[in-house]
Amino acid sequence: MAWFLGLGIAGVVLLALSLVFDGLLDGAFDGALGGGLDGWLSLPVVAGFVAMTGFGGVLAQAATGVGLVGATAVGALSGVGTAWLTYRFSRALMRDRTAVAPTGNDLVGTSGSVVTAIPADGFGEVLLQLAGQRLKFAARSATPVARGAEVWVEAAPSATSVLVRPVDR
């Protein structure tokens, strides 16, 4: 029973290390067996297999009193089941993608208001709405624009600046 308990504890330690060294074994076996092992030799999957093999063996010996061979079989079966579940959960988490992040190009064509006056050959500041958030951007304009004026975004040359023109109403 002590061997199985040691194996289970080693698996838990390996699982804790997988939090620190995430992806350590993933790249080591890339393309092994024609890509058939991709994801199966990740540290969390191996750790789950080792831990449940050990703890499954301990439970089998303690609950039913089976011998070493029976406990090994039960432990290996529970280890394979845990490894499969870990693999499936990690694949499901890897496929979960977020929405596309907004970019500066999403600003082109939107309107905003000037919060710091824009001089003819310099920068001012405008307040624009991007993805539901009001953000302040550095702004340039071909003509001077007064504070409080409504502007239209013509281009976004960088992540923090825009080219604007005054809105004529």
Side-chain angles (χ1 to χ4, degrees):
M1 187 180 293
W3 284 98
F4 287 118
L5 196 56
L7 197 59
I9 291 170
V12 170
V13 168
L14 197 59
L15 187 60
L17 287 175
S18 77
L19 295 173
V20 176
F21 300 111
D22 184 37
L24 181 69
L25 291 179
D26 292 345
F29 298 103
D30 267 354
L33 297 178
L37 294 179
D38 288 346
W40 283 103
L41 290 178
S42 66
L43 208 48
V45 171
V46 171
F49 172 77
V50 171
M52 273 314 290
T53 299
F55 292 136
V58 167
L59 288 173
Q61 278 187 330
T64 62
V66 297
L68 183 63
V69 174
T72 302
V74 169
L77 242 140
S78 63
V80 167
T82 301
W84 181 80
L85 283 173
T86 305
Y87 172 75
R88 297 298 296 168
F89 284 143
S90 66
R91 297 290 288 185
L93 289 174
M94 294 301 247
R95 281 193 306 266
D96 187 27
R97 300 282 183 224
T98 59
V100 177
T103 63
N105 291 333
D106 295 331
L107 291 171
V108 176
T110 62
S111 65
S113 60
V114 177
V115 291
T116 303
I118 305 171
D121 289 330
F123 281 96
E125 292 178 321
V126 295
L127 196 58
L128 303 172
Q129 189 161 339
L130 178 64
Q133 298 292 318
R134 296 195 51 85
L135 302 170
K136 193 187 304 185
F137 288 88
R140 288 187 75 123
S141 176
T143 61
V145 183
R147 181 176 187 263
E150 186 178 2
V151 291
W152 191 265
V153 178
E154 293 180 323
S158 74
T160 59
S161 68
V162 290
L163 297 175
V164 297
R165 67 175 170 82
V167 174
D168 295 326
R169 294 211 185 240

